[in-house]
Amino acid sequence: EMFYEGKAKKLYSTSDPDLLITYFKDDATAFDGTKRDTIADKGVVNNRMSELFFKLLEKNGVKTHFVRRLNDREMLCKRLHIIPVETVVRNLVAGSMAKRLGREEGEPLPHPIVEYYYKSDALHDPLILGEHAIAFGWATAAELKQIDAMALKVDGILSKFLDERGVILIDFKLEFGRYHGEVLLGDEICPDTCRFWDKATRQKLDKDRFRHDLGGVEEAYHEMLRRVEN
Ligand code: UDP
């Protein structure tokens, strides 16, 4: 039974209350839902790429909600109580950070920066401090400490893996949730939620091609999947 439909995914309950099925759609939105379209086969690419990344992370000691991929568009996952904080890790300046702080896209950062955004469509996901998350009960101090450590560990693992495949991991967004007293990594890891640049050409291989009408959107998603699969 479907119990949630978001912009890019649908969630179905299963006979086991601890498990759910994520269905990956082709729908794409940007700029707070004002830009909408579909990207052919995006759901298939994001499902497969998330599977590969989750397996790589699990192998390296990061606990995730991933159980197994069921088919082209569906993934079996542990059912988390999602913490309403989006965690963004940045290695180079891009996107909202470039805009907010008046910096050039592609400027390297001396070390990865972790940011939090409050998950609220009504408030347009505002940038927050960890203090806000603690004060308003969205996460505990202990959970944020774990989230920080996990986010930086994910950054290290994925940056190295992608570098070996000729890709710079510019930035990415993670979501975490509670599962029987543990904090697990949830959601998806794919070109919708990461910025990937080709190392040699600095060509964008992610959702920025859709956001800014750069063309070659489907091709970029498939090219990224090809690199991650090899
Ligand atoms: N991101 C995301 N979902 C969001 C906002 C951001 O997956 O709702 C990802 C985005 O793809 C990028 C990183 O988080 O890889 C940082 O995004 P940024 O804050 O620059 O926002 P944007 O300009 O992409 O809206």
Side-chain angles (χ1 to χ4, degrees):
E1 202 182 310
M2 187 175 85
F3 66 92
Y4 178 80
E5 176 158 13
K7 290 167 211 140
K9 300 192 287 303
K10 293 188 227 181
L11 303 180
Y12 293 87
S13 55
T14 67
S15 53
D16 183 339
D18 273 344
L19 298 174
L20 60 75
I21 293 170
T22 301
Y23 177 94
F24 290 78
K25 303 194 285 183
D26 284 348
D27 298 346
T29 64
F31 308 121
D32 223 5
T34 54
K35 183 178 170 74
R36 287 165 189 272
D37 208 340
T38 59
I39 299 172
D41 283 343
K42 176 172 82 80
V44 179
V45 171
N46 289 359
N47 187 23
R48 174 81 177 123
M49 196 181 296
S50 293
E51 174 195 18
L52 292 165
F53 281 145
F54 283 136
K55 283 181 172 168
L56 174 74
L57 293 172
E58 289 278 355
K59 202 178 79 185
N60 285 278
V62 178
K63 290 188 174 172
T64 80
H65 71 159
F66 176 78
V67 179
R68 66 190 147 89
R69 188 168 61 82
L70 298 172
N71 54 50
D72 264 7
R73 289 184 181 269
E74 291 176 316
M75 179 184 282
L76 186 65
C77 298
K78 291 174 180 164
R79 188 166 180 162
L80 308 183
H81 296 276
I82 283 287
I83 295 169
V85 172
E86 298 192 344
T87 303
V88 168
V89 182
R90 300 181 184 274
N91 297 307
L92 281 80
V93 175
S96 71
M97 179 187 243
K99 211 169 165 187
R100 186 182 317 110
L101 302 178
R103 309 297 303 194
E104 203 62 40
E105 273 225 319
E107 178 181 346
L109 295 167
H111 56 80
I113 293 178
V114 180
E115 296 177 342
Y116 308 117
Y117 294 82
Y118 176 44
K119 251 172 98 73
S120 161
D121 285 338
L123 299 175
H124 316 287
D125 296 355
L127 177 66
I128 58 165
L129 302 176
E131 303 289 329
H132 295 133
I134 296 165
F136 300 122
W138 301 326
T140 66
E143 285 170 341
L144 285 185
K145 220 174 136 177
Q146 280 186 70
I147 286 173
D148 267 22
M150 288 171 82
L152 290 171
K153 185 163 180 180
V154 169
D155 184 45
I157 296 163
L158 296 189
S159 291
K160 177 173 179 285
F161 177 86
L162 290 165
D163 179 75
E164 288 162 2
R165 286 154 183 82
V167 174
I168 309 171
L169 180 59
I170 304 290
D171 59 29
F172 58 94
K173 183 261 301 183
L174 301 176
E175 295 190 27
F176 295 88
R178 306 177 185 104
Y179 184 80
H180 297 289
E182 271 192 315
V183 174
L184 303 186
L185 176 61
D187 198 42
E188 59 184 323
I189 308 177
C190 62
D192 280 6
T193 62
C194 304
R195 285 195 171 90
F196 302 123
W197 289 10
D198 181 85
K199 209 159 90 176
T201 65
R202 296 180 87 80
Q203 193 193 2
K204 295 180 199 293
L205 296 171
D206 57 57
K207 194 173 156 188
D208 271 350
R209 302 206 72 83
F210 166 75
R211 291 189 186 98
H212 304 298
D213 298 314
L214 301 178
V217 183
E218 283 89 358
E219 292 79 0
Y221 277 66
H222 282 284
E223 172 60 16
M224 270 312 302
L225 180 58
R226 191 188 65 76
R227 297 214 196 172
V228 172
E229 278 180 329
N230 285 297

